[in-house]
Amino acid sequence: MLRTALRNVLAHKARLIMTALAVMLGVAFVSGTLVFGDTVAGAFRAASTKSLKDVAVSVQADTVPGAAVGAAEPSSVLDRRLVDRVRELPGVTSVRPAVNGTATLAAKDGQPVNAASSWQNLAADYVPGADGKDARHPLMSGRAPHGKGELALDVTTAAKAGYRIGDTVRFATTGPALTKKLVGIVRTEDPRVIAGGTLALFDTRTAQDLFLAPGRFDEVSVAAAPGTDQYALAEQVRALLPKEGATATSGAELAAEQARQTAESTEALTKLLLVFAGISLFVGVFIIANTFTMLIAQRSRELALLRAVGASRRQVVRSVLIEAGLLGLGASAAGFALGLGIAAGLRPLLNASGAGLPEGPLVVSPAALIASLAVGVLVTVLAAWLPSRRAAKIAPVEALNSVEAPTPVRSLRVRNTIGALLTGAGVLTMLYVSTLNDGTDGAASDLMLAMAGSFLTMTGMIVLAPLLSRPLVLLAGKVTTRCFGVSGKLAQENALRNPRRTAATASALMIGLTLITGLTVTGVSVDRAARQEAVQGLTADYRVANSAYLGLDPKLADKVADVPGVAGATGIASAGLTVDGEFALASGVDPKQLDKVADLDFTSGSATALGPGKLAISDAYAARTGLRTGDTVQAAFDLESGEPGPRKRYTVVGVYAENRVVTGVIGDLRDVTPYATAGQYDSILVKAAPDSSRTLDRDIRDALGNSPLLKVQDKQQITQEESGELTLMLNLMYGLLGMAVVIAVLGVINTLAMSVFERTREIGMLRAIGLDRRGIRRMVRLESVVISLFGATLGIGTGIFLAWSAGALPAASLPTYT
């Protein structure tokens, strides 16, 4: 039977090629995802290992709560005296004290470099060793920075920004732009920089002035002699540290922690990709089952002869399953090779979208290879199991005596009943989901319920597909008959001849289109709602903010107001506020400027009544607290330490509809700003005068020092920022789901190719009675159109229903969702 199965694979290789392609693409997706996950994790680990080379113990300083960056107050307990004491410990060969911070660079064209990921814009001090060189940042050209007016950049940062040795570099740490001369280009192994970040280096004194305080460090790396026990050395270092303010960790523990964080950061993406790989394989199941069903129908005489010469039913089943296993093994091997290409291409593709993944060689683990081959073979064998059971039921005499008889039509009654029950259960579940409006409460359970309802609905539609095929194919056939005459009529009849085959072929296409349609409808609706909500109630023309979320100096609001062409400007400060035990985030505004930059819908009271000691509250907060206009309350703003500040008496002067411009409570800037983080504004809203210049945004930047940290955005840029990640995610999902549609199209091609082979005599008869070759080709093409229209109708209809019924879930947190 093994030789028989092998002969069948070789004999029908042309008819199995599309099935092999479906398996190959699905396995390629799986193997590519697994190899990609291992590769990214390996690249992160390798980069971390290089950055931790020769580090036996790492001492990290804890920032003192409330210490402002650059303040005279020391924000680190690590000083030169402690470094000298650590250097004297037995086994220590060298100690590297360091200063770390962040600096956002402006490129040579004036635009910020990597403004979207400010946490990756690293800054540190250049720490020369005994040889005058910093082993962690080896020089590639130029020299090390010396003095306040110099800095060095890593080679990637310099290339991205367009700087060369001798150029003046503009950058910002927390406030106004600074300039220094570029004197050196270095290389770094820091994974954050390799993954798309930037690196600026200063001499130690300059770095301390910028980020800490003179004589202070926030990191000390300890190197030890070979054979030194890292854990014992870490304990000795801990004994030298103050009780609070710093932590000593062995190099091995630090490496293990970084490996854990790396695994967590790559796990979510790997799981997402595997979900879509599973969808592709699920679609492939229909193609495989359809192919083997048709092959068995075409080989009924051959199978009957096997039974006649003594083959048992079990041997026939085994022969078909071995054939499927051989097909799955070959296709899986090819799919694994293709998956290596996918894994290699995913990293630059994602990095082009700003993912910032480090470079590294492909990591092909035995587990990825075994899993890919096992998945491909298992899926193929499972899909061929039912057809193999049907093959075993062929009676020798019946097959030999009625070879030319059509395949008997089996009743669909049981299938239709099961399909109706599944579809009904799914539709009822989704109708219930459409009534949910719980906000964030129970969001996880609501999502699981929606996923279960969607699965039941799709499964029910797949089971009901043969029943639904007749009316929909008849409808499509009327169009093809009217437009193409006899060829169109024949295409309709061919599609109706075997409802199960037509349904199986169309179901593969339906699954992909259901997911794409549902994703598109939901995604576009959420994107539109997010764009509307981002600027809902905002009448300001520009918003000024800090890209590193460090806040804005309140003095900048006055500078903005003085810019020619600015009709009004107000800072927005935020602080936590507790009223009668109910917490809210309070927005501080200038009442005289509020109506120029925001259009708030007050249901009672008005914004003009705001002032010191007065509050306006949102309708949502009013519902939680029971407060109304005119009420007097005792409220306390939260201090930066998190503790509540002194309680004061405030009067509620209005209730407004909640929106994104301000938070749940509005207060006077003079009341809120003292409790805001570091006394800073979150943003400044700017209203332009009717005759303002088109370059007003540039004028505002210039008036504020043109710091690379500044974001001056108009409404369009605000909405783009709000929806940018969603758009990127949708595009990624479209691409992933596109694989399922490609596999479904292969299924249509495969089914029609085998159907043509099955109907050789019939097609010859049509040719004999006058249908020319062009008519035959048109008939086959129209049959594919009819089947595709059937699958598209089911998929698009089901996708729209699922998106509509699940719309209550995003609508709970997006009031503008429609």
Side-chain angles (χ1 to χ4, degrees):
M1 298 307 292
L2 177 61
R3 288 197 299 270
T4 301
L6 182 60
R7 182 185 63 80
N8 285 332
V9 171
L10 297 176
H12 303 108
K13 54 182 178 294
R15 280 177 275 175
L16 291 172
I17 188 168
M18 293 299 176
T19 304
L21 281 174
V23 178
M24 183 183 72
L25 289 175
V27 171
F29 216 154
V30 173
S31 64
T33 299
L34 294 175
V35 172
F36 171 74
D38 292 340
T39 297
V40 172
F44 273 115
R45 283 195 298 268
S48 298
T49 300
K50 289 180 180 178
S51 65
L52 293 175
K53 183 181 180 182
D54 299 328
V55 176
V57 178
S58 175
V59 183
Q60 302 285 337
D62 302 328
T63 301
V64 176
V69 177
E73 176 187 358
S75 56
S76 170
V77 299
L78 304 181
D79 55 16
R80 179 64 63 181
R81 186 182 61 171
L82 179 62
V83 171
D84 292 338
R85 293 176 64 190
V86 171
R87 185 179 286 111
E88 294 172 356
L89 290 174
V92 173
T93 57
S94 65
V95 177
R96 185 184 188 279
V99 180
N100 298 302
T102 59
T104 301
L105 305 174
K108 206 165 186 180
D109 60 4
Q111 297 300 315
V113 181
N114 195 37
S117 303
S118 57
W119 62 274
Q120 287 182 289
N121 297 334
L122 308 183
D125 60 335
Y126 186 91
V127 185
D131 58 356
K133 299 178 180 180
D134 188 343
R136 187 172 293 187
H137 304 119
L139 278 167
M140 297 187 65
S141 61
R143 59 176 176 81
H146 298 290
K148 294 183 178 181
E150 299 179 349
L151 85 166
L153 299 177
D154 81 281
V155 61
T156 306
T157 301
K160 285 192 297 186
Y163 287 122
R164 296 182 178 179
I165 299 293
D167 288 343
T168 298
V169 178
R170 292 180 61 253
F171 68 96
T173 56
T174 60
L178 305 173
T179 58
K180 295 186 186 298
K181 182 179 179 181
L182 179 62
V183 298
I185 303 293
V186 304
R187 188 176 69 252
T188 181
E189 301 293 347
D190 193 301
R192 294 167 293 179
V193 180
I194 295 173
T198 62
L199 174 64
L201 297 175
F202 311 92
D203 69 352
T204 299
R205 180 59 187 269
T206 302
Q208 289 173 335
D209 290 341
L210 286 172
F211 307 115
L212 290 174
R216 301 287 175 166
F217 306 94
D218 55 15
E219 178 187 5
V220 177
S221 299
V222 182
T228 302
D229 187 335
Q230 291 187 2
Y231 298 97
L233 181 59
E235 286 296 332
Q236 294 176 3
V237 172
R238 290 190 191 104
L240 299 178
L241 299 178
K243 292 183 179 179
E244 296 181 354
T247 305
T249 308
S250 68
E253 291 174 323
L254 194 59
E257 176 61 20
Q258 290 191 358
R260 184 189 64 80
Q261 293 177 355
T262 297
E264 289 180 355
S265 64
T266 58
E267 184 180 11
L269 180 59
T270 302
K271 286 182 177 179
L272 175 65
L273 294 174
L274 284 176
V275 167
F276 287 95
I279 293 172
S280 298
L281 286 171
F282 183 62
V283 171
V285 166
F286 290 88
I287 300 172
I288 299 166
N290 216 18
T291 299
F292 276 92
T293 298
M294 297 177 72
L295 279 176
I296 287 166
Q298 294 168 15
R299 288 159 43 195
S300 57
R301 176 179 291 181
E302 174 189 328
L303 294 171
L305 285 173
L306 287 175
R307 294 294 311 281
V309 298
S312 64
R313 289 189 174 186
R314 180 176 297 178
Q315 286 177 311
V316 171
V317 171
R318 192 182 303 157
S319 173
V320 175
L321 293 182
I322 291 174
E323 183 179 345
L326 293 173
L327 172 68
L329 183 61
S332 299
F336 183 80
L338 179 61
L340 297 180
I342 293 176
L346 270 176
R347 179 167 45 202
L349 179 64
L350 293 175
N351 280 345
S353 303
L357 301 175
E359 296 294 329
L362 282 179
V363 177
V364 184
S365 65
L369 174 61
I370 294 172
S372 300
L373 296 180
V375 165
V377 173
L378 185 63
V379 167
T380 309
V381 170
L382 287 177
W385 182 72
L386 282 178
S388 72
R389 299 274 296 177
R390 296 193 191 104
K393 294 179 181 179
I394 297 177
V397 174
E398 177 186 351
L400 290 172
N401 292 337
S402 58
V403 172
E404 302 300 331
T407 304
V409 179
R410 291 178 292 145
S411 173
L412 293 171
R413 185 175 302 173
V414 175
R415 177 170 179 159
N416 292 341
T417 302
I418 295 174
L421 292 174
L422 290 173
T423 305
V427 169
L428 289 175
T429 302
M430 295 309 296
L431 289 176
Y432 171 72
V433 169
S434 69
T435 65
L436 299 175
N437 191 20
D438 298 333
T440 56
D441 298 334
S445 60
D446 292 348
L447 179 60
M448 293 300 296
L449 185 63
M451 292 176 63
S454 300
F455 178 77
L456 287 173
T457 303
M458 288 181 60
T459 304
M461 294 299 293
I462 292 171
V463 177
L464 280 179
L467 175 64
L468 299 173
S469 66
R470 187 166 188 82
L472 293 178
V473 169
L474 282 173
L475 182 61
K478 288 183 179 180
V479 178
T480 58
T481 302
R482 176 169 296 183
C483 296
F484 301 98
V486 175
S487 296
K489 181 64 175 177
L490 289 172
Q492 175 193 17
E493 294 299 326
N494 289 335
L496 289 173
R497 180 180 302 178
N498 192 329
R500 293 177 183 270
R501 179 188 302 172
T502 300
T505 306
S507 293
L509 186 61
M510 185 205 79
I511 295 169
L513 288 179
T514 296
L515 295 173
I516 288 179
T517 302
L519 178 66
T520 301
V521 173
T522 304
V524 170
S525 299
V526 170
D527 180 65
R528 184 175 62 181
R531 288 173 178 268
Q532 291 177 351
E533 188 172 353
V535 294
Q536 186 180 33
L538 180 68
T539 57
D541 296 296
Y542 297 98
R543 184 180 69 185
V544 183
N546 188 303
S547 62
Y549 306 101
L550 298 174
L552 299 171
D553 189 330
K555 296 178 182 178
L556 298 181
D558 296 331
K559 292 184 178 181
V560 172
D562 292 336
V563 174
V566 173
T570 178
I572 302 289
S574 62
L577 177 70
T578 303
V579 180
D580 294 336
E582 282 289 341
F583 175 82
L585 190 63
S587 292
V589 299
D590 182 353
K592 297 179 181 179
Q593 301 289 336
L594 182 59
D595 61 336
K596 296 180 182 180
V597 298
D599 181 18
L600 302 182
D601 181 15
F602 274 81
T603 56
S604 65
S606 67
T608 57
L610 281 169
K614 297 177 181 179
L615 302 174
I617 61 176
S618 69
D619 49 6
Y621 190 71
R624 295 205 311 269
T625 60
L627 295 174
R628 296 180 298 178
T629 299
D631 289 349
T632 301
V633 297
Q634 291 287 335
F637 285 99
D638 291 344
L639 302 174
E640 286 194 53
S641 62
E643 298 295 323
R647 292 168 58 86
K648 296 182 181 179
R649 184 179 297 276
Y650 293 90
T651 301
V652 178
V653 297
V655 177
Y656 60 91
E658 196 166 35
N659 63 77
R660 291 281 295 276
V661 179
V662 291
T663 52
V665 174
I666 304 175
D668 190 277
L669 267 175
R670 288 164 288 185
D671 287 338
V672 179
T673 304
Y675 299 97
T677 303
Q680 303 282 297
Y681 288 167
D682 295 338
S683 61
I684 299 173
L685 302 182
V686 183
K687 182 66 177 178
D691 58 347
S692 63
S693 169
R694 293 183 178 180
T695 61
L696 181 58
D697 57 339
R698 191 181 307 165
D699 296 339
I700 293 173
R701 290 189 65 92
D702 291 340
L704 301 182
N706 199 15
S707 169
L709 287 171
L710 284 180
K711 291 194 300 183
V712 182
Q713 300 170 299
D714 57 22
K715 289 185 179 180
Q716 182 179 0
Q717 292 169 327
I718 292 172
T719 55
Q720 287 176 346
E721 183 179 64
E722 292 284 339
S723 61
E725 292 186 5
L726 176 62
T727 301
L728 175 63
M729 183 62 69
L730 285 176
N731 290 336
L732 175 62
M733 290 187 175
Y734 289 149
L736 297 175
L737 288 175
M739 182 73 75
V741 176
V742 169
I743 294 175
V745 171
L746 290 176
V748 175
I749 297 172
N750 197 33
T751 299
L752 290 176
M754 298 186 71
S755 177
V756 168
F757 180 84
E758 189 178 66
R759 304 199 306 258
T760 302
R761 177 170 296 183
E762 174 188 323
I763 293 173
M765 183 69 71
L766 291 173
R767 294 277 287 124
I769 63 177
L771 190 62
D772 58 10
R773 291 184 176 180
R774 183 179 180 183
I776 294 294
R777 287 196 296 267
R778 182 183 298 163
M779 177 190 71
V780 175
R781 291 169 184 164
L782 290 175
E783 184 179 350
S784 71
V785 170
V786 169
I787 294 175
S788 298
L789 284 175
F790 170 50
T793 302
L794 290 184
I796 294 173
T798 305
I800 291 175
F801 168 74
L802 295 178
W804 167 80
S805 56
L809 301 183
S813 55
L814 277 175
T816 53
Y817 182 92
T818 56

